[in-house]
Amino acid sequence: MVVNFVNNGQTLADRYRDFSWWQARGQCEAHEELTARISQDPEFCELLAGSLPPGNKQQPNLLLAAVRHLDGPHAEQGPRGDLAYRRWREWTIRHWDEVRAVIMRRATQTNEPARCATLLPLLARLPQPLALLEVGASAGLCLYPDRYRYAFDDGGDAGAAVEVGPSGSPVTFRCRTSREARVPDDWAAPPGRLPEVVWRGGIDLNPLDPVGDPDALRWLQALIWPGATERAQHLPAAVDAVRGAPRPRMVRGDLVDELPALAAEAPADATLVVFHTAVLTYLPPDRRERFAASVRELLAQRAGAGHWISQEHHSVLPWIAAPHSDALGPAEREPLLTLSLDERPVALTGQHGRSLHWVAGTA
């Protein structure tokens, strides 16, 4: 039997069990059940361990998306129950060569444009115009915060959401907002304008073009978990929103290696904003530190203004203080990201841009 150890003695079965408990639980019942069943299926784990290289290619997300991409059984809602799991398992084994080919060709590179809702308030407050540079840009949809419409809801009366953005946009992202008592009113208020973006650039190991490549859009849709109906509807609508816009300057490569050269292309008379969301977790700690040092260096040496916006789990950049708030309600107790401006935490945000909670110390 092939027993594949992933990290610190963790087996592949452990990896699926942890995914079920720590990532899928409370977020996607279908994936929670499916990955739990896989973790208890030694023969199927042996197939995965013996035919996929260790590391990112053994991510549960990648296998689940590959089967959905190929229209495997229960693609929309996931296999629920023992009979459904056996059907899913049999289909996956029978089509394993195709599934493996997708896994080896693709990567887990979710591009969630709704995250622009949590980035927008910061971007709108920076000196305009902006040059946006996203690392881990995937399809680059988060490089167009000025193409979408937003509805910011502070939890008050129904229908009282503050809307901003082009009225003709095919997509509207809703975001719940709240704040600590000590956060100034001007920070807590929704932005009154959209940012003026004059340059857009992105770095990714495998840039996607969902506007020009229908298969790339299908892959992004396969990465959306079953049951996330709103996200599934938002993705193609966001693609439509950017369809008529000039494509960003996309660079294929490592985000640490390619950052300085791409940043040098940004107009000197624009405020350069280097940003990323849930990306650095895929780097080992030493590369995260090297990336941080590179951002600091290029912003310090830049003739024009520049800022760094990070939106990551608090453990990814441990030198940034992890904000905590007892004021968050049950709806906001999903795994949250720390939104930071120039390595200073300013908010806790939902993973997919649905909530924004300003924290004390923002001013």
Side-chain angles (χ1 to χ4, degrees):
M1 174 182 290
V2 177
V3 179
N4 188 36
F5 290 91
V6 183
N7 293 306
N8 301 320
Q10 183 188 50
T11 68
L12 192 66
D14 293 334
R15 189 171 190 175
Y16 274 81
R17 186 178 300 109
D18 287 352
F19 181 91
S20 174
W21 181 258
W22 296 110
Q23 297 187 48
R25 184 170 62 99
Q27 305 298 315
C28 177
E29 292 182 359
H31 277 0
E32 178 185 358
E33 177 180 335
L34 175 55
T35 50
R37 288 182 179 275
I38 291 173
S39 74
Q40 298 168 14
D41 187 338
E43 290 184 0
F44 192 75
C45 286
E46 183 176 359
L47 169 67
L48 300 178
S51 56
L52 295 173
N56 287 337
K57 293 302 180 183
Q58 292 186 0
Q59 292 180 76
N61 253 339
L62 195 51
L63 169 67
L64 304 179
V67 175
R68 299 187 74 209
H69 182 68
L70 295 170
D71 293 323
H74 313 287
E76 292 307 312
Q77 295 301 323
R80 310 298 302 278
D82 184 61
L83 288 176
Y85 172 69
R86 280 187 278 172
R87 181 171 177 239
W88 181 93
R89 181 187 192 275
E90 187 275 333
W91 185 96
T92 302
I93 292 174
R94 181 157 41 90
H95 294 85
W96 181 244
D97 288 346
E98 301 164 65
V99 173
R100 185 181 185 278
V102 172
I103 292 173
M104 298 304 296
R105 187 174 74 252
R106 296 292 188 180
T108 52
Q109 49 186 145
T110 302
N111 199 183
E112 180 50 72
R115 288 169 174 162
C116 287
T118 54
L119 296 170
L120 187 75
L122 287 186
L123 295 176
R125 289 178 172 90
L126 296 178
Q128 307 292 310
L130 305 181
L132 300 182
L133 195 166
E134 183 182 16
V135 296
S138 187
L141 295 178
C142 288
L143 286 165
Y144 293 94
D146 51 335
R147 303 285 292 194
Y148 311 128
R149 189 161 179 82
Y150 308 87
F152 293 96
D153 182 358
D154 64 1
D157 296 335
V162 175
E163 297 197 11
V164 61
S167 58
S169 175
V171 63
T172 298
F173 299 128
R174 302 194 68 88
C175 182
R176 298 186 308 273
T177 63
S178 58
R179 61 168 172 151
E180 294 287 281
R182 290 176 291 165
V183 174
D185 291 343
D186 59 337
W187 271 90
R193 63 174 182 177
L194 291 176
E196 179 189 354
V197 183
V198 295
W199 183 88
R200 310 170 206 265
I203 305 170
D204 201 274
L205 289 173
N206 182 36
L208 300 177
D209 179 15
V211 174
D213 180 3
D215 195 54
L217 178 57
R218 273 178 45 81
W219 175 243
L220 290 173
Q221 289 173 313
L223 286 164
I224 297 174
W225 289 4
T229 305
E230 187 176 60
R231 291 183 59 207
Q233 294 171 343
H234 280 167
L235 178 61
V239 171
D240 287 342
V242 307
R243 192 175 297 278
R247 301 303 295 147
R249 169 83 165 94
M250 295 291 285
V251 174
R252 181 185 299 272
D254 178 83
L255 58 86
V256 177
D257 298 336
E258 302 296 339
L259 178 62
L262 182 58
E265 297 182 25
D269 58 351
T271 298
L272 174 64
V273 183
V274 178
F275 73 98
H276 49 89
T277 301
V279 167
L280 299 189
T281 186
Y282 294 103
L283 299 183
D286 61 323
R287 292 295 279 174
R288 298 173 198 168
E289 294 175 4
R290 180 68 192 93
F291 170 77
S294 182
V295 175
R296 296 185 197 112
E297 181 179 1
L298 74 86
L299 292 181
Q301 296 178 354
R302 179 174 168 80
H307 294 277
W308 175 14
I309 296 177
S310 62
Q311 194 169 205
E312 303 279 353
H313 188 268
H314 68 83
S315 63
V316 173
L317 299 173
W319 59 87
I320 298 177
H324 173 75
S325 177
D326 293 329
L328 292 173
E332 285 80 27
R333 292 198 180 277
E334 62 174 312
L336 298 175
L337 304 178
T338 297
L339 180 67
S340 299
L341 175 63
D342 297 327
E343 301 182 84
R344 181 167 53 92
V346 297
L348 291 166
T349 70
Q351 295 185 83
H352 302 121
R354 293 180 179 176
S355 66
L356 172 65
H357 181 76
W358 299 107
V359 295
T362 293

